Amino acid sequence: MIKLILSDLDETLLNDDGTVHQNNVTAIQHFVAEGGYFVPNTGRSYKSILPLLKTLGLDKNNPQYVISYNGGAVVALHPDETVDILDQQTLPWQLAKKVFDLGQMQSDIDTHIYTLDQLFIHNISASDKAYMLERQVPYTEIHGTDLVFLQKEQPIAKVIFEHPEEAVREAIAHKVMAELSDEVVVTFSSGRYVEFNLKGTDKGQAGLSLAHILNVHRDEVAALGDNLNDLAMITAAGTGVAVGNARPEIKEAANIVLQKTNNEAAVADFIERFIG
């Protein structure tokens, strides 16, 4: 019996335009009403998905659990907007600065720096600005490459780079990992980002950590995803689920491959067919 569902957001739960299919809302609410835990497991910050939790009707849960930053933080959100950080894996400032500097390979690279509760973006592209707006993600633009101010901020959860060309993203990954492979882990997401977390951080380990806190066995955990940063949770969960639009690597690793895509309420399809 599935008691905990870990779900990626972009290209899994969300439609391509960032909205949520009503069938997903209905199915998730039914699952939670029956005593299940539905937990977003995302690369985003937990603050940025508060509007989504309201749409799903999960904002009144006390607490509502969220895994953010590709496993960099496991949090419990309360209706009064207080937050408990249950687990965190963060980058030391000097290491984050090294990743940032190595990724500045050409002038059109867009860089995100996530602290535990803020997003800073350097050299944001027009397409990324539209993407952030569509998904209601708050951020602060930074100018220049001096990141000293971040030493005073909360710990840094991850550093990611946005570029439309896969070859450029691969080149960034190669350059960073050639120097820092003992300290960071790399993943790719949304066909636009290459992401770096502290080594040992991933959506799978964070998901199992939360399952332990909730006294849920691994066999009672399902994980739904579509992209390479979802691979760890697909393989860690007792039931790994690939949505219809998932990358081939995710489909190959999954226990269940859905026919329906994110735009066709794939999450609802899984809940209705395999949980009931």
Side-chain angles (χ1 to χ4, degrees), residues 1-4 208 211 216-223 236-240:
M1 179 179 177
I2 301 299
K3 296 181 179 179
L4 169 61
L208 294 182
V216 173
H217 193 272
R218 176 178 177 269
D219 290 344
E220 300 169 321
V221 179
T239 304

Side-chain angles (χ1 to χ4, degrees), residues 149-165:
F149 76 96
L150 283 173
Q151 288 181 298
K152 300 177 182 179
E153 297 292 336
Q154 290 190 16
I156 297 170
K158 67 174 183 174
V159 178
I160 77 175
F161 303 92
E162 188 266 356
H163 197 278
E165 297 178 21

Side-chain angles (χ1 to χ4, degrees), residues 82-95:
T82 58
V83 179
D84 295 323
I85 306 294
L86 305 180
D87 190 16
Q88 66 180 42
Q89 303 291 328
T90 56
L91 296 163
W93 177 83
Q94 289 185 331
L95 179 56

Side-chain angles (χ1 to χ4, degrees), residues 46-60:
Y46 58 86
K47 280 191 171 182
S48 73
I49 65 170
L50 293 176
L52 172 64
L53 295 180
K54 291 182 180 180
T55 298
L56 296 175
L58 303 179
D59 57 309
K60 302 303 181 186

Side-chain angles (χ1 to χ4, degrees), residues 23-63:
N23 288 2
N24 283 339
V25 175
T26 301
I28 289 167
Q29 290 181 349
H30 176 74
F31 174 72
V32 173
E34 293 294 314
Y37 296 99
F38 183 87
V39 176
N41 195 345
T42 177
R44 299 195 209 172
S45 75
Y46 58 86
K47 280 191 171 182
S48 73
I49 65 170
L50 293 176
L52 172 64
L53 295 180
K54 291 182 180 180
T55 298
L56 296 175
L58 303 179
D59 57 309
K60 302 303 181 186
N61 290 352
N62 192 16

Side-chain angles (χ1 to χ4, degrees), residues 9-253:
L9 298 185
D10 295 303
E11 292 85 49
T12 298
L13 173 65
L14 303 182
N15 298 323
D16 287 346
D17 63 2
T19 60
V20 187
H21 197 293
Q22 183 57 45
N23 288 2
N24 283 339
V25 175
T26 301
I28 289 167
Q29 290 181 349
H30 176 74
F31 174 72
V32 173
E34 293 294 314
Y37 296 99
F38 183 87
V39 176
N41 195 345
T42 177
R44 299 195 209 172
S45 75
Y46 58 86
K47 280 191 171 182
S48 73
I49 65 170
L50 293 176
L52 172 64
L53 295 180
K54 291 182 180 180
T55 298
L56 296 175
L58 303 179
D59 57 309
K60 302 303 181 186
N61 290 352
N62 192 16
Q64 169 60 40
Y65 299 97
V66 174
I67 298 172
S68 290
Y69 315 118
N70 291 332
V74 180
V75 305
L77 306 177
H78 301 280
D80 63 0
E81 299 187 0
T82 58
V83 179
D84 295 323
I85 306 294
L86 305 180
D87 190 16
Q88 66 180 42
Q89 303 291 328
T90 56
L91 296 163
W93 177 83
Q94 289 185 331
L95 179 56
K97 182 66 165 65
K98 286 180 183 178
V99 174
F100 177 91
D101 289 342
L102 288 167
Q104 306 307 310
M105 297 179 61
Q106 56 193 57
S107 62
D108 61 346
I109 290 172
D110 166 337
T111 309
H112 296 202
I113 304 167
Y114 284 87
T115 67
L116 284 181
D117 66 358
Q118 294 186 77
L119 168 59
F120 299 91
I121 303 183
H122 170 258
N123 196 35
I124 189 168
S125 67
S127 64
D128 200 27
K129 186 174 291 187
Y131 194 78
M132 294 291 107
L133 178 62
E134 186 175 71
R135 284 155 176 76
Q136 303 179 61
V137 178
Y139 62 89
T140 299
E141 285 193 60
I142 58 176
H143 305 282
T145 58
D146 185 353
L147 304 183
V148 171
F149 76 96
L150 283 173
Q151 288 181 298
K152 300 177 182 179
E153 297 292 336
Q154 290 190 16
I156 297 170
K158 67 174 183 174
V159 178
I160 77 175
F161 303 92
E162 188 266 356
H163 197 278
E165 297 178 21
E166 183 175 1
V168 174
R169 299 192 298 272
E170 291 280 359
I172 294 171
H174 178 77
K175 185 174 182 181
V176 173
M177 296 306 288
E179 185 167 333
L180 301 176
S181 61
D182 291 337
E183 299 176 83
V184 300
V185 62
V186 60
T187 54
F188 297 85
S189 66
S190 297
R192 61 193 299 131
Y193 298 119
V194 54
E195 314 199 6
F196 298 91
N197 287 81
L198 187 70
K199 191 165 185 176
T201 304
D202 61 56
K203 289 184 175 184
Q205 289 302 313
L208 294 182
S209 175
L210 177 59
H212 179 74
I213 291 169
L214 298 176
N215 197 29
V216 173
H217 193 272
R218 176 178 177 269
D219 290 344
E220 300 169 321
V221 179
L224 290 84
D226 71 285
N227 218 310
L228 296 178
N229 65 334
D230 301 319
L231 182 60
M233 72 169 178
I234 294 289
T235 55
T239 304
V241 184
V243 295
N245 54 292
R247 289 178 61 104
E249 301 95 321
I250 301 302
K251 290 182 177 180
E252 183 176 350

